[in-house]
Amino acid sequence: MVRRARRINRELAEVYYYAHPELDFENPFQLLVATVLSAQTTDLRVNQTTPALFAAYPTPEEMAAADPERLEALIRPTGFFRNKAKSLLGLSAALRDRFDGEVPDNLEDLVSLPGVGRKTAHVVLGNAFGRPGITVDTHFGRLVRRWKLTEQTDPEKVEAEIAEIIPKSEWTMFSHRVIFHGRRVCHSRKPACGACPIARLCPSYGEGETDPEKARKLLKYEMGGMPGQRLRPPADYPGQPAPPLGAE
């Protein structure tokens, strides 16, 4: 199992050599806010929403002082905007009052912020501070179970078991690669098994469409010839940038 896990990681690294966080951000505060907003919506919708949000409130101090109704209006496209606005106001105030306006670079302090759990904290630690972490979202959990790397469903238990078989230095990038694969190929309802680059390594091959032509039609984002989720993707991204809000 360990050998299979590490081989999957190596082969995904070749396929998704450009794997990256799919949220647009310029600093740790922006990544923290964007990750909180990403709950129950797509990274694309968050990326289309945050330019106006960060133009209005570029710092924790300014966001903490925001008018709640205006903040809600700005983040409405991401859904659940009232609860998310409460989280953003609370975490911004906590950053202002407890951390001198700076996002902390450790797990304990991050998860003490309103609306911030382990998943969000690991996204920030891994991508804003370069500290390895495993991000267990729905895609990650689904795929590691399909690959028989764990039987756990609780995210913390999944994180702990995968941490035992993937080298710590690879945790952040393994998370990106798995999530990329889950979004593009190994979908929840109908995985594109016939177009999967690691099909021969997958114990669950055959759960989805195995016909290569039909499977190729299931591919998403750059794998399917469509725009990605970032308005400002990295330079090595092989696909098209996503359109701004209202231009889809």
Side-chain angles (χ1 to χ4, degrees):
M1 184 190 70
V2 174
R3 287 195 299 271
R4 185 172 72 252
R6 296 185 179 188
R7 188 171 179 187
I8 286 172
N9 183 38
R10 289 194 301 272
E11 297 206 10
L12 289 180
E14 293 181 8
V15 176
Y16 304 112
Y17 61 88
Y18 52 89
H20 58 272
E22 293 194 89
L23 292 167
D24 287 327
F25 70 99
E26 295 178 353
N27 55 56
F29 176 62
Q30 289 189 358
L31 180 57
L32 177 60
V33 169
T35 307
V36 170
L37 291 177
S38 70
Q40 304 299 314
T41 190
T42 63
D43 286 355
L44 170 59
R45 185 60 71 193
V46 175
N47 292 335
Q48 292 171 325
T49 302
T50 50
L53 176 67
F54 295 140
Y57 311 114
T59 67
E61 291 82 358
E62 288 167 292
M63 190 171 287
D67 174 70
E69 290 188 2
R70 186 185 178 207
L71 180 59
E72 289 176 1
L74 285 169
I75 66 173
R76 181 184 289 266
T78 68
F80 301 95
F81 58 92
R82 290 190 179 89
N83 285 337
K84 290 179 180 180
K86 289 179 183 176
S87 292
L88 295 186
L89 290 169
L91 72 84
S92 296
L95 292 176
R96 178 196 62 197
D97 298 340
R98 294 167 46 207
F99 299 104
D100 297 320
E102 298 293 331
V103 176
D105 62 357
N106 65 85
L107 184 65
E108 182 180 1
D109 286 339
L110 279 169
V111 297
S112 75
L113 300 172
V116 178
R118 290 182 68 89
K119 183 184 81 169
T120 296
H122 281 312
V123 170
V124 173
L125 290 172
N127 299 289
F129 295 109
R131 300 198 169 190
I134 295 172
T135 302
V136 184
D137 70 354
T138 55
H139 302 288
F140 188 97
R142 177 177 76 251
L143 267 62
V144 294
R145 284 188 290 274
R146 277 183 177 164
W147 295 334
K148 311 301 183 187
L149 303 183
T150 182
E151 295 181 353
Q152 301 294 340
T153 56
D154 178 79
E156 286 195 39
K157 293 179 180 179
V158 171
E159 178 188 332
E161 291 200 359
I162 299 303
E164 292 293 320
I165 60 177
I166 296 294
K168 185 174 182 178
S169 61
E170 287 286 290
W171 287 354
T172 298
M173 288 310 302
F174 181 66
S175 299
H176 286 321
R177 293 162 190 154
V178 174
I179 292 168
F180 259 58
H181 193 60
R183 287 175 169 168
R184 287 150 177 78
V185 179
C186 196
H187 312 305
S188 176
R189 294 182 182 176
K190 199 170 186 180
C193 293
C196 178
I198 60 166
R200 67 191 181 285
L201 299 175
C202 182
S204 300
Y205 176 79
E207 283 189 10
E209 179 59 66
T210 57
D211 180 84
E213 286 299 319
K214 293 179 180 179
R216 273 193 287 273
K217 294 179 181 178
L218 299 174
L219 300 178
K220 294 184 179 179
Y221 302 113
E222 76 284 350
M223 300 286 280
M226 296 171 282
Q229 300 202 78
R230 291 189 68 166
L231 278 65
R232 295 179 286 116
D236 64 348
Y237 179 67
Q240 308 166 51
L245 196 63
E248 297 98 323

